[in-house]
């Protein structure tokens, strides 16, 4: 490096970050680019709520990391600021039963959690609906990652209760936005006919960002999050390439943060391509980490068993799982199906001589990063 070698070095109280929060997954940017038509469609569905009527029900679909949650959060924030509409976003990866969904709605309306035991669903539901009627308020509920409700066979019951609220409690006005990242799931077709008859949603699709859009979004995020001169054009292009490869904008945002931390580890004022490449080794597993965080104890146990018995016959995998959890084959099969839907495992049927069709199961990732993230 030309000149004083200390020129490019950070002192103890310096950082490459102007605002590190900009790189967190739940950050809602002030300027939200390349989703104008989707935002307009969602506004159209929510506009009746601002006039005191029930909003239109909506299904929002698209691959992970395409701006679905951010769009809903942005519009919910605007609704709360400008109207009396109640908005509640439920993370169905965490709250994946009907009771858990309504507990989160209760908390959103009353500003405290319901008792953890001793209150029936009917009473919980009744208190929510009564408050809405009493205050003459409209409720807009976003079921984010609604696919998790389907994996647990809870979607139809949860939606039925929300959509029929006005029948059980005259004057209750509730609209639902279902957000799904599972493109193989047909939200409407998978619902019971009793729900399909009243749901009839608007549909809004979020496609993957193209490379130019990724560069634009990441440049804006870097401008807000880093000090001037920290991220050069070459480094930004490399981040964008890796993000486009993964198809998930969240990988790119996490990659920027980790690359910044790598630069700080070197006490450098600028991010290098090497910082980016090194960061990608962890950032590329953003989807894996997120999926693993939402698993139950028995689901995590099966992932561990698969990691430890990688490439072995399905029979020996089940035996090891049963030994560890004492659960039977029916529950094992249900968990395999859920992990398959989440993209954590790959399953295929093959003819086995003397045994007919047999299902083989393997992890969709190398065992090492999976076990690292479970143990970490």
């Amino acid at each position: 490096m030309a000149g004083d070698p200390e020129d490019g070095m950070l002192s103890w109280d310096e950082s490459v970050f102007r605002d590190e929060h900009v790189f967190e997954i739940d950050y809602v940017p002030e300027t939200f680019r390349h989703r104008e038509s989707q935002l307009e469609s969602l506004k159209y569905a929510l506009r009746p709520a601002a006039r005191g009527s029930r909003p239109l029900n909506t299904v929002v679909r698209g691959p992970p990391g395409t701006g679905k949650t951010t769009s809903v959060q942005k519009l919910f924030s605007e609704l709360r600021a400008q109207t009396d509409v109640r908005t509640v976003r439920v993370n169905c990866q965490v709250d994946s039963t009907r009771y858990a969904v309504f507990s989160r709605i209760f908390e959103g309306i009353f500003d405290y959690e319901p008792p953890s035991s001793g209150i029936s669903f009917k009473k919980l539901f009744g208190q929510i609906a009564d408050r809405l009627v009493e205050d003459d308020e409209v409720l807009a509920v976003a079921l984010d990652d609604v696919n998790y409700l389907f994996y647990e066979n809870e979607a139809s019951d949860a939606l039925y209760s929300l959509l029929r609220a006005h029948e059980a409690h005259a004057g209750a006005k509730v609209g639902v936005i279902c957000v799904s990242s599972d493109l193989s799931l047909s939200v409407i077709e998978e619902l019971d006919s009793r729900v399909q008859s009243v749901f009839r949603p608007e549909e809004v699709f979020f496609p993957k960002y193209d490379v130019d859009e990724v560069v634009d979004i990441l440049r804006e995020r870097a401008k807000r999050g880093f000090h001037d001169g920290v991220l050069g054009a070459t480094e930004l292009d490399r981040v964008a390439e890796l993000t486009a490869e993964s198809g998930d904008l969240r990988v790119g945002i996490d990659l920027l943060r980790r690359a910044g931390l790598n630069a700080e580890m070197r006490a450098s004022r600028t991010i290098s391509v090497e910082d980016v490449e090194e960061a990608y080794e962890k950032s590329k597993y953003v989807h894996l980490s997120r999926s693993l965080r939402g698993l139950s104890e028995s689901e995590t146990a099966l992932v561990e068993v698969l990691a430890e018995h990688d490439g072995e016959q399905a029979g020996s995998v089940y035996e090891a799982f049963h030994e560890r959890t004492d659960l039977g084959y029916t529950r094992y099969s249900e968990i395999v199906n859920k992990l398959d839907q989440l993209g954590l495992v790959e399953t295929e049927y093959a003819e086995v001589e003397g045994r007919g069709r047999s299902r083989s199961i393997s992890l969709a990732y190398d065992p090492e990063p999976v076990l690292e993230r479970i143990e970490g």
Side-chain angles (χ1 to χ4, degrees), residues 286-299:
V286 161
H287 180 70
L288 170 64
S289 301
R290 189 167 176 271
S291 297
L292 290 173
R293 274 200 301 274
L295 298 183
S296 67
E297 204 173 307
S298 53
E299 290 159 358

Side-chain angles (χ1 to χ4, degrees), residues 186-234:
S186 175
V187 171
I188 300 162
E189 285 176 22
E190 292 293 327
L191 291 167
D192 291 354
S193 56
R194 66 194 170 121
V195 185
Q196 286 180 2
S197 64
V198 289
F199 192 28
R200 308 209 174 147
E202 302 289 306
E203 294 195 54
V204 184
F205 185 72
F206 283 66
K208 283 184 181 179
Y209 294 108
D210 65 32
V211 178
D212 290 341
E213 289 170 342
V214 167
V215 171
D216 194 34
I217 293 165
L218 294 179
R219 184 189 293 115
E220 178 67 25
R221 199 64 70 99
K223 188 178 168 185
R224 289 182 179 277
F226 291 128
H227 289 299
D228 293 344
V230 168
L231 186 72
T234 304

Side-chain angles (χ1 to χ4, degrees), residues 16 114 169 218 241 303 340:
V16 298
H169 297 260
L218 294 179
E241 277 173 26
V303 172
D340 189 17

Side-chain angles (χ1 to χ4, degrees), residues 39 77 105 135 138 207 257-258 263 289 292 304 311 327 332 340:
L39 283 168
S77 178
I105 293 169
D135 293 349
V138 179
R257 184 178 69 87
R258 288 183 187 276
S289 301
L292 290 173
E304 286 178 324
L327 291 170
Y332 162 77
D340 189 17

Side-chain angles (χ1 to χ4, degrees), residues 88 139 149 183 215 241 249 257 285 304 306 330 347 349 373 376:
V88 179
L139 171 65
L149 290 182
L183 295 183
V215 171
E241 277 173 26
L249 187 65
R257 184 178 69 87
Y285 294 117
E304 286 178 324
L306 282 163
T330 302
T347 63
Y349 286 90
R373 276 150 189 81

Side-chain angles (χ1 to χ4, degrees), residues 55-340:
L56 302 176
N57 298 313
T58 311
V59 169
V60 173
R61 294 174 69 247
T66 49
K68 301 181 299 297
T69 298
T70 304
S71 295
V72 170
Q73 286 176 310
K74 195 165 184 61
L75 292 181
F76 272 14
S77 178
E78 286 178 17
L79 265 181
R80 286 194 302 272
Q82 298 170 23
T83 70
D84 294 327
V85 177
R86 285 274 185 178
T87 64
V88 179
R89 174 183 161 261
V90 181
N91 178 356
C92 299
Q93 187 181 9
V94 177
D95 299 304
S96 57
T97 66
R98 179 178 70 162
Y99 194 91
V101 165
F102 275 82
S103 294
R104 193 64 58 224
I105 293 169
F106 181 100
E107 186 184 355
I109 289 173
F110 290 92
D111 295 322
Y112 61 87
E113 290 185 27
S116 55
S117 61
I119 178 168
S120 68
F121 173 77
K122 189 176 179 183
K123 188 173 181 185
L124 185 72
F125 175 59
Q127 288 181 356
I128 291 167
D130 287 345
R131 172 59 73 90
L132 291 174
V133 174
E134 194 180 303
D135 293 349
D136 193 24
E137 287 183 328
V138 179
L139 171 65
V141 177
L143 299 176
D144 203 357
D145 277 327
V146 72
N147 31 302
Y148 283 86
L149 290 182
F150 284 92
Y151 302 155
E152 302 298 338
N153 295 315
E154 294 273 348
S156 288
D157 285 345
L159 276 166
Y160 187 79
S161 298
L162 284 167
L163 299 169
R164 297 274 189 180
H166 64 285
E167 292 180 5
H169 297 260
K173 291 172 279 195
V174 181
V176 184
I177 298 174
C178 291
V179 183
S180 173
S181 294
D182 183 348
L183 295 183
S184 67
L185 174 75
S186 175
V187 171
I188 300 162
E189 285 176 22
E190 292 293 327
L191 291 167
D192 291 354
S193 56
R194 66 194 170 121
V195 185
Q196 286 180 2
S197 64
V198 289
F199 192 28
R200 308 209 174 147
E202 302 289 306
E203 294 195 54
V204 184
F205 185 72
F206 283 66
K208 283 184 181 179
Y209 294 108
D210 65 32
V211 178
D212 290 341
E213 289 170 342
V214 167
V215 171
D216 194 34
I217 293 165
L218 294 179
R219 184 189 293 115
E220 178 67 25
R221 199 64 70 99
K223 188 178 168 185
R224 289 182 179 277
F226 291 128
H227 289 299
D228 293 344
V230 168
L231 186 72
T234 304
E235 290 72 26
L236 175 62
D237 285 344
R238 186 60 184 138
V239 172
E241 277 173 26
L242 293 168
T243 306
E245 261 176 48
S246 73
D248 187 338
L249 187 65
R250 289 175 303 194
V251 169
I253 292 166
D254 189 70
L255 185 49
L256 287 173
R257 184 178 69 87
R258 288 183 187 276
L261 292 171
N262 287 348
E264 287 195 339
M265 282 287 289
R266 297 188 296 108
S268 171
R269 294 176 189 275
T270 56
I271 292 169
S272 68
V273 171
E274 289 72 24
D275 291 327
V276 172
E277 300 288 355
E278 189 184 328
Y280 185 61
E281 289 310 305
K282 290 187 176 174
S283 295
K284 66 184 176 183
Y285 294 117
V286 161
H287 180 70
L288 170 64
S289 301
R290 189 167 176 271
S291 297
L292 290 173
R293 274 200 301 274
L295 298 183
S296 67
E297 204 173 307
S298 53
E299 290 159 358
T300 303
L302 180 52
V303 172
E304 286 178 324
V305 166
L306 282 163
E308 291 157 9
H309 294 73
D310 193 41
E312 293 183 26
Q313 287 289 329
S316 58
V317 170
Y318 168 66
E319 284 166 21
F321 172 75
H322 175 68
E323 196 175 307
R324 187 172 300 192
T325 63
D326 207 31
L327 291 170
Y329 191 83
T330 302
R331 183 62 189 137
Y332 162 77
S333 189
E334 287 171 354
I335 293 173
V336 168
N337 289 338
K338 177 176 175 179
L339 297 179
D340 189 17

